[in-house]
Amino acid sequence: MSFYQQLLSATEQERNALMTLPLIQQGAQGNITLETYRAFLTQAYHHVKHTTPLLMACGGRLSGEYEWLRTAIGEYIEEEMGHQEWVLNDIEACGGDKESVRHSATEQDAACHATEVMVAYAYDMIHRVNPLGFFGMVLVLEGTSTAVATQAGEKIMQALQLPKKAFSYLFSHGSLDISHVTFYESLMNQVTNVEDQQAIIHAAKRFYRLYGEIFKHVAAQAAIIHTLHQAA
């Protein structure tokens, strides 16, 4: 069995727990409110903006034996640069204030605790534990996106009657992004050091849980907004 297949098998329970969260299930059916979609995009911005810095940090921490992976990281960086602006543009396209999200001046607008923790764990994994562990985060974010992003985007767009330009982030990370998963698989199958393999598996398990906490926060925030609207 290839390491990529071992990775999928070892993290299947965590992946299933994430994919069965109510908000992800509702999003896949387009059964969410505009406020929920904006809340999702806000948290997406606050972790997507770290993608390039994290990739750069990971590349800088790799040993010489992983020069081939450092080269691949360069390709990832080229692909990922500026994606946080896509998220902000989506927020604006669905009636939100993208500059408020960008600057996050207040606690209400800032990245939620779960998002901060996930990002902090990624930096900690790279700098303190094992830079290869960062690829556990890549598995979670890329894999989740390709699994549900396109379907969710299309359903939400139809249900909320929003323009396609409000979904550049979801559509770019959906089925059209399947080549990234293939590229990722080829990279992981070249990692033969058992210690590094275990670091990736361990990190992926943690990232599935951490990413799930973000969706739980967005769902809770949406429920509060719904309650306030009913009381008004």
Side-chain angles (χ1 to χ4, degrees), residues 115-184:
T115 304
E116 288 192 16
V117 171
M118 185 178 76
V119 171
Y121 180 71
Y123 281 110
D124 184 66
M125 175 59 63
I126 289 168
H127 291 291
R128 183 182 63 86
V129 184
N130 185 327
L132 270 293
F134 172 67
F135 285 91
M137 185 181 193
V138 177
L139 172 72
V140 173
L141 298 185
E142 295 278 10
T144 304
S145 293
T146 54
V148 300
T150 297
Q151 177 186 347
E154 290 174 346
K155 293 285 188 179
I156 296 168
M157 181 171 64
Q158 183 178 31
L160 299 180
Q161 297 185 325
L162 290 170
K164 188 174 182 179
K165 66 179 181 179
F167 296 90
S168 58
Y169 173 66
L170 281 182
F171 287 156
S172 69
H173 289 76
S175 57
L176 295 178
D177 205 28
I178 195 69
S179 61
H180 279 196
V181 176
T182 303
F183 182 52
Y184 176 85

Side-chain angles (χ1 to χ4, degrees), residues 7-232:
L7 176 58
L8 294 184
S9 177
T11 58
E12 182 177 8
Q13 181 177 347
E14 289 78 9
R15 181 170 59 256
N16 289 340
L18 172 66
M19 298 304 292
T20 54
L21 286 176
L23 183 58
I24 291 184
Q25 295 287 305
Q26 292 161 10
Q29 297 302 316
N31 187 26
I32 65 172
T33 65
L34 178 59
E35 290 78 13
T36 302
Y37 181 52
R38 287 179 188 160
F40 162 75
L41 289 173
T42 296
Q43 297 312 313
Y45 169 74
H46 284 293
H47 68 76
V48 171
K49 69 180 181 181
H50 289 280
T51 302
T52 297
L54 283 166
L55 284 165
M56 294 173 73
C58 179
R61 293 282 295 170
L62 292 175
S63 61
E65 66 183 296
Y66 282 110
E67 186 63 33
W68 59 269
L69 185 54
R70 200 182 343 261
T71 300
I73 286 174
E75 295 183 38
Y76 265 120
I77 291 172
E78 187 175 354
E79 287 280 339
E80 295 294 329
M81 286 187 70
H83 283 199
Q84 71 275 12
E85 294 298 323
W86 296 2
V87 182
L88 291 177
N89 290 338
D90 288 349
I91 290 171
E92 184 175 55
C94 61
D97 184 347
K98 75 175 186 179
E99 293 306 320
S100 174
V101 173
R102 185 198 303 275
H103 299 295
S104 301
T106 68
E107 181 63 27
Q108 183 178 0
D109 292 330
C112 73
H113 177 266
T115 304
E116 288 192 16
V117 171
M118 185 178 76
V119 171
Y121 180 71
Y123 281 110
D124 184 66
M125 175 59 63
I126 289 168
H127 291 291
R128 183 182 63 86
V129 184
N130 185 327
L132 270 293
F134 172 67
F135 285 91
M137 185 181 193
V138 177
L139 172 72
V140 173
L141 298 185
E142 295 278 10
T144 304
S145 293
T146 54
V148 300
T150 297
Q151 177 186 347
E154 290 174 346
K155 293 285 188 179
I156 296 168
M157 181 171 64
Q158 183 178 31
L160 299 180
Q161 297 185 325
L162 290 170
K164 188 174 182 179
K165 66 179 181 179
F167 296 90
S168 58
Y169 173 66
L170 281 182
F171 287 156
S172 69
H173 289 76
S175 57
L176 295 178
D177 205 28
I178 195 69
S179 61
H180 279 196
V181 176
T182 303
F183 182 52
Y184 176 85
E185 178 180 357
S186 69
L187 294 178
M188 291 303 94
N189 285 339
Q190 295 178 64
V191 177
T192 57
N193 182 285
V194 175
E195 183 178 335
D196 292 336
Q197 290 178 343
Q198 290 305 308
I200 295 169
I201 291 172
H202 173 81
K205 288 173 174 284
R206 295 294 183 263
F207 279 116
Y208 272 119
R209 295 183 63 179
L210 290 166
Y211 196 38
E213 290 301 315
I214 296 175
F215 283 95
K216 291 176 184 177
H217 165 83
V218 171
Q221 187 179 45
I224 292 172
I225 293 173
H226 180 69
T227 301
L228 291 174
H229 283 174
Q230 283 189 320

